[in-house]
Amino acid sequence: MGPLPMAARAAGGCSSAALAFFGFRPLRRGLRPAAAFSWAESSHYGGCRSRLAHSLVDSVLDELRSRRLRRVQVSAKLGLQGTKELSDNKIDKRALQKGLLLEFQKDSERSLLAVVERPDGKKNWMVTDQNGILSSIKPQQVTYVVPGVMNFDSSRIDEFLEKAQDLLDPTVVECAWMELSEKDKSITVEEFAEIVYGNKESLESYCAHFLLSRDIVYFVKVESRDYSMYQPRSPPQVEELLRRKLAKEEAEKELEEFVHLLKSAKALPMESKPPKSSWLVDDKVRQKIEALQAYAVDACDDEQRRSAGNILKAMGFTRTSSAALKLLINVGYFPVHVNLDLFKYDVRISYTEEVLSAAEELLVDRPDSDMHIRKDLSALKVYAIDVDEADELDDALSATRLPDGRIKVWIHVADPTCLIKPRSIMDREAMHRGTSIFLPTATFPMFPERLAMSAMSLQQGKQCKSVSVSVILHPDGSIAEYTLENSIIKPTYMLTYESATELLYMNLEEEEELRILQEAASIRAQWRRAQGSIDTAMIEPRIKVSNPDDPEPNINLYVEDQANPAMQLVSEMMILCGEAVAAFGADNNLPLPYRGHPQSSTAVSAFSHLPDGPARSFANISVLRAAEMDFQKPVPHGVLGIPGYVQFTSPIRRYVDLLAHYQVKAFLRGDSPPYSAGDLEGMTFIASMHVKVARRLHSNSLRYWLLEYLRRQPKGRKYKALILKFVKDRMAVLLLLEVGMQVTTTVLRGKVGDEVSVAVETAHPRDDILSIREVIEDTDDTEE
């Protein structure tokens, strides 16, 4: 009996999309069985099928099953294994023998043809596959034994596959399904071969197995007791699977096009890379590039993980976050020194249009409900002292000597609450930022830039709204009197710490107010020490990167000694302000974010043997207990040596300071405070979460650029280092004095507080690797 004209059916309506899926050439028409006839003579796609076609299918299936039954009966009588027994999936060792041609599962993605060579142990077999490789396989790996083939030569596998190539037309699977699904008839591999090719010889049976086993749409494999069958799926199932298949093909096409874009961009020189914005225009491209970005920072969902993994595989990269980062840098989407933490922590670096619009309205209206009660202090000489690149200037100082010899100082604090009202859109935005973020590469202010750096900030020579905290000191440095009032000031000097220190050393008569401030700071420090304050002044690094998007940006390193006279002066005045505001809150029963810090159980005298400076400060810091907050009354601040403390001097930069301003300003106006103690606690908690992220961002970014700075230094350069602590044996924590960075390495000699020389062996910022070794300069002493 001749085969059914399944392939001819393709021309009348069967899909040819599966050809690309299987990756084979179409069936050569010259190899069609002679019995094929025009499908138009018997049926048409979508119409009624002819009785002739149905009777042919039925008769072929009946005849084949009759033959199989007779063959099995004869085989049983003779004790032989039939074709089906050899080709069933459940193959044991006894079914295999030398010379058989079989297909086995090489791995999750590959099946290979091979010839059985010999047994390998009790269960396994040695086979030679189509690539000429000899390997051992388990019976469970065998997916098909080609029937009717004995003593096959492995060198002829390529020839066998070439012949099979000509017969592998996937469209016949669809045509067969059309006939068999209507009567829900299951079919074996050899029945499929007989129907499609006209016989079930070894080549045709293998092609039938190949087509059916790779088909994922039309047939499903079902196991019977004796052999495997392929059952046609229902039309709704086929429709859904075809939809998924087409979607997969479309996704693969999109992936191929995206990979082409990546490879093209990767091949371009750095200065010619496409801009970042070009990757975000098309939605499908944007989704893929964002999946890579999320993968690079380990912050992706399952869909992004799959997408990024497929992209990396197609590009020949390993599926790792570092590989995704490298790829994004190579195509120019990320600069070489991209700060991944900004994406990892989803940091707010821009403002919504709603917030920006609200900011512009405030800049136009400039409301000030406290204008009628502001005191004019513009005649005072006012010093604003900060780092040289500070954009938000929110505090300044004045001082005078009273006729009785006592010192009176003013701490003037910028007044953003004259513009920002509690619970407004700008207030909510500030609360969910918590703080301004200061990085070596950029500043992300808590308020929109035009508000923070112009309307709110103190500006030299201009009349500025402020809240002025004035304090008269007793001769011993304690507070005698204090006053909080709304004011107008006119800053006289905008000084850096370096220039303020120079003025102090010059001791100019015309800068008497600055000398008085220094005297006030000195007696305050003495008084606080008498109250048990702990010295925590360290050497801290500060880095400014001017062009961070360049492959080799400029790095400016500053090492700040917190014992610097100007820094000490400002620090003492800020602490004094915090103590006065806490006293104001206590005296007026005002809910405020009071900050305390219990003294350590370790006495300060425990570290008196250490040299004054970073070594002793490091030891003091190491035993500090956690800070405490109270929102109803002051709590002692043992570290600072004062009875109470409220952060008040940075309302443009810190939200908790802004909360304190809301409460104090309402009291000064005679209004009820806008927030209860419970309100303050909840809002402080929200803000503090964002503050923690900001600190982590600052710390990580600072360390990255310090490592980049060290990486660029001449190899073998020596650095002075101070021993801060021994961790174990001679493993020590050191402070690089010229860099301000703490490192760990082994030192052969010295004690805590001693200086040693070290050199950098390896500095790799992206991988956070730093290797330091001690440099022994006096070899003679070492030998002794």
Side-chain angles (χ1 to χ4, degrees):
M1 178 179 290
L4 286 178
M6 295 299 178
R9 176 72 174 274
C14 290
S15 169
S16 60
L19 284 169
F21 176 76
F22 284 110
F24 288 101
R25 298 192 301 272
L27 180 65
R28 294 179 184 172
R29 298 304 176 194
L31 296 178
R32 288 291 184 192
F37 58 89
S38 172
W39 184 255
E41 297 176 8
S42 63
S43 180
H44 61 86
Y45 183 73
C48 296
R49 291 170 173 80
S50 70
R51 295 179 180 177
L52 174 59
H54 288 166
S55 62
L56 284 173
V57 171
D58 291 341
S59 60
V60 168
L61 292 176
D62 291 343
E63 175 64 20
L64 286 171
R65 286 171 180 143
S66 176
R67 290 180 185 178
R68 185 188 308 112
L69 180 59
R70 291 196 299 271
R71 185 176 67 246
V72 170
Q73 290 172 345
V74 171
S75 298
K77 289 180 181 180
L78 297 177
L80 299 176
Q81 293 175 316
T83 299
K84 185 57 210 163
E85 283 77 11
L86 288 175
S87 61
D88 189 72
N89 278 344
K90 300 176 182 178
I91 297 173
D92 59 27
K93 180 175 182 291
R94 293 172 299 172
L96 299 180
Q97 55 184 290
K98 177 179 173 58
L100 287 180
L101 179 63
L102 56 79
E103 180 189 78
F104 74 97
Q105 193 79 26
K106 177 70 173 177
D107 51 43
S108 60
E109 298 180 354
R110 289 184 301 164
S111 292
L112 301 177
L113 276 181
V115 174
V116 179
E117 299 292 349
R118 62 181 183 276
D120 181 31
K122 292 183 178 181
K123 296 182 179 180
N124 296 353
W125 284 82
M126 299 299 296
V127 298
T128 301
D129 65 30
Q130 62 195 59
N131 299 316
I133 297 175
L134 182 68
S135 58
S136 175
I137 66 170
K138 300 176 181 178
Q140 299 94 305
Q141 291 178 258
V142 178
T143 52
Y144 187 70
V145 176
V146 180
V149 176
M150 302 294 290
N151 300 317
F152 197 83
D153 186 347
S154 60
S155 65
R156 295 179 56 207
I157 296 179
D158 284 344
E159 178 187 350
F160 184 88
L161 286 173
E162 180 64 26
K163 291 179 179 179
Q165 185 88 353
D166 292 330
L167 296 178
L168 290 171
D169 183 352
T171 60
V172 300
V173 179
E174 180 182 2
C175 296
W177 172 80
M178 288 178 179
E179 291 303 325
L180 296 169
S181 63
E182 189 170 285
K183 301 188 73 171
D184 195 23
K185 288 183 177 292
S186 298
I187 195 169
T188 65
V189 168
E190 57 188 356
E191 288 170 347
F192 186 88
E194 187 79 44
I195 292 173
V196 172
Y197 300 116
N199 66 69
K200 55 183 180 60
E201 299 302 323
S202 57
L203 180 62
E204 287 76 10
S205 292
Y206 170 71
C207 292
H209 157 75
F210 188 97
L211 291 173
L212 287 172
S213 63
R214 271 67 169 181
D215 169 54
I216 60 172
V217 175
Y218 298 102
F219 290 88
V220 59
K221 190 174 184 180
V222 293
E223 300 288 345
S224 69
R225 188 182 66 176
D226 299 321
Y227 44 79
S228 297
M229 302 284 288
Y230 286 87
Q231 181 179 2
R233 298 181 192 270
S234 68
Q237 287 178 316
V238 169
E239 183 178 356
E240 173 62 19
L241 290 171
L242 281 174
R243 186 193 64 77
R244 293 182 187 179
K245 182 170 176 287
L246 290 173
K248 181 180 179 183
E249 290 170 353
E250 181 63 26
E252 289 173 348
K253 180 182 177 183
E254 290 177 7
L255 175 61
E256 183 180 353
E257 292 172 349
F258 182 69
V259 167
H260 176 72
L261 286 176
L262 292 174
K263 289 182 177 178
S264 298
K266 187 171 178 286
L268 293 171
M270 188 62 68
E271 63 275 7
S272 303
K273 304 283 188 188
K276 181 177 182 178
S277 58
S278 67
W279 298 94
L280 307 176
V281 176
D282 181 82
D283 285 343
K284 293 179 179 178
V285 172
R286 176 181 54 78
Q287 289 171 4
K288 289 179 175 59
I289 205 78
E290 288 179 349
L292 281 173
Q293 175 179 298
Y295 198 86
V297 299
D298 294 322
C300 54
D301 56 34
D302 291 342
E303 181 59 34
Q304 289 176 321
R305 184 175 290 105
R306 280 193 297 270
S307 177
N310 291 335
I311 294 166
L312 292 170
K313 180 181 178 182
M315 288 292 294
F317 283 73
T318 57
R319 297 181 184 182
T320 61
S321 57
S322 59
L325 172 61
K326 181 179 179 181
L327 176 58
L328 290 170
I329 291 174
N330 286 343
V331 301
Y333 181 78
F334 276 161
V336 173
H337 298 286
V338 60
N339 188 340
L340 293 180
D341 284 346
L342 294 175
F343 304 99
K344 184 175 182 179
Y345 299 118
D346 194 22
V347 177
R348 296 189 182 201
I349 60 176
S350 59
Y351 293 88
T352 64
E353 288 298 325
E354 185 182 15
V355 171
L356 292 174
S357 177
E360 290 302 316
E361 290 178 10
L362 291 173
L363 286 168
V364 172
D365 295 340
R366 302 278 178 125
D368 182 13
S369 57
D370 302 309
M371 183 58 71
H372 64 290
I373 57 172
R374 288 194 184 277
K375 185 174 183 178
D376 186 359
L377 299 178
S378 57
L380 290 174
K381 184 179 285 188
V382 177
Y383 299 89
I385 306 173
D386 212 325
V387 294
D388 56 355
E389 72 271 13
D391 297 313
E392 307 161 330
L393 293 172
D394 47 17
D395 56 69
L397 305 171
S398 299
T400 189
R401 194 178 300 278
L402 299 177
D404 61 5
R406 293 185 301 174
I407 293 175
K408 182 176 183 179
V409 298
W410 287 265
I411 301 96
H412 310 289
V413 184
D415 186 10
T417 63
C418 69
L419 298 173
I420 310 300
K421 301 306 176 188
R423 300 182 179 88
S424 65
I425 181 175
M426 203 63 63
D427 172 68
R428 293 195 303 271
E429 180 72 16
M431 179 178 66
H432 286 97
R433 289 174 179 264
T435 181
S436 295
I437 299 176
F438 300 97
L439 303 179
T441 53
T443 296
F444 303 111
M446 188 172 73
F447 292 107
E449 187 172 324
R450 274 168 47 82
L451 271 181
M453 299 176 186
S454 59
M456 292 180 176
S457 289
L458 303 179
Q459 300 178 56
Q460 184 175 5
K462 295 182 179 180
Q463 288 198 335
C464 303
K465 303 178 185 69
S466 67
V467 178
S468 293
V469 179
S470 62
V471 179
I472 298 175
L473 297 175
H474 284 304
D476 66 352
S478 60
I479 296 177
E481 302 174 26
Y482 69 84
T483 303
L484 273 68
E485 54 195 346
N486 294 289
S487 63
I488 294 288
I489 64 169
K490 190 175 182 180
T492 312
Y493 295 114
M494 294 294 188
L495 301 173
T496 65
Y497 288 117
E498 291 78 12
S499 59
T501 298
E502 288 180 9
L503 277 178
L504 289 171
Y505 285 141
M506 292 170 68
N507 198 23
L508 301 174
E509 285 188 16
E510 56 268 32
E511 300 303 336
E512 180 185 5
E513 294 85 351
L514 189 61
R515 294 202 311 272
I516 295 173
L517 280 169
Q518 185 181 32
E519 182 182 343
S522 177
I523 62 173
R524 278 289 297 172
Q526 293 175 21
W527 179 81
R528 290 194 305 109
R529 278 195 294 271
Q531 309 306 308
S533 70
I534 298 174
D535 185 10
T536 58
M538 290 289 291
I539 293 176
E540 298 286 350
R542 181 165 54 87
I543 279 184
K544 191 71 174 176
V545 181
S546 54
N547 49 343
D549 288 346
D550 289 355
E552 290 288 325
N554 295 324
I555 301 175
N556 297 307
L557 172 65
Y558 308 90
V559 180
E560 297 176 341
D561 186 352
Q562 292 178 339
N564 168 284
M567 294 191 78
Q568 289 261 316
L569 185 157
V570 172
S571 176
E572 286 296 339
M573 294 301 103
M574 299 304 105
I575 294 170
L576 176 61
C577 178
E579 183 185 351
V581 173
F584 178 84
D587 291 344
N588 296 287
N589 197 27
L590 187 63
L592 288 172
Y594 299 99
R595 182 178 295 271
H597 214 136
Q599 288 187 336
S600 169
S601 56
T602 302
V604 176
S605 59
F607 305 116
S608 59
H609 65 285
L610 298 176
D612 193 19
R616 184 184 296 178
S617 294
F618 182 83
N620 288 334
I621 293 171
S622 66
V623 297
L624 290 182
R625 295 163 65 183
E628 297 176 350
M629 295 289 294
D630 194 295
F631 300 92
Q632 294 181 323
K633 63 183 185 304
V635 289
H637 201 301
V639 175
L640 298 180
I642 54 179
Y645 181 68
V646 173
Q647 287 184 323
F648 194 77
T649 58
S650 295
I652 305 175
R653 308 181 188 188
R654 293 190 303 240
Y655 186 73
V656 173
D657 295 46
L658 186 70
L659 286 176
H661 273 246
Y662 285 144
Q663 302 291 91
V664 167
K665 291 290 295 294
F667 185 89
L668 294 177
R669 284 194 301 269
D671 297 338
S672 298
Y675 298 119
S676 67
D679 295 334
L680 292 176
E681 184 174 6
M683 290 184 291
T684 299
F685 177 77
I686 293 172
S688 66
M689 291 191 299
H690 299 286
V691 170
K692 288 178 182 177
V693 172
R695 287 174 179 168
R696 191 177 300 119
L697 275 170
H698 173 77
S699 175
N700 292 350
S701 184
L702 181 62
R703 179 173 174 82
Y704 177 93
W705 287 105
L706 286 171
L707 291 179
E708 177 64 13
Y709 171 84
L710 292 172
R711 185 187 69 82
R712 297 185 187 185
Q713 301 309 301
K715 193 170 182 62
R717 173 185 166 180
K718 297 177 184 177
Y719 299 87
K720 292 180 180 179
L722 188 71
I723 300 176
L724 297 178
K725 176 184 178 181
F726 284 101
V727 181
K728 183 180 180 181
D729 298 329
R730 300 301 297 179
M731 180 66 68
V733 177
L734 309 178
L735 175 64
L736 300 183
L737 297 175
E738 297 108 318
V739 183
M741 184 182 188
Q742 293 180 21
V743 299
T744 303
T745 192
T746 301
V747 294
L748 299 180
R749 58 184 179 179
K751 61 183 182 302
V752 173
D754 288 350
E755 285 189 16
V756 295
S757 293
V758 297
V760 175
E761 290 189 321
T762 306
H764 199 299
R766 184 61 68 190
D767 295 329
D768 193 24
I769 294 174
L770 178 63
S771 176
I772 300 288
R773 63 178 174 83
E774 183 184 15
V775 177
I776 306 297
E777 300 184 41
D778 189 353
T779 55
D780 291 336
D781 290 349
T782 303
E783 292 174 0
E784 293 177 3

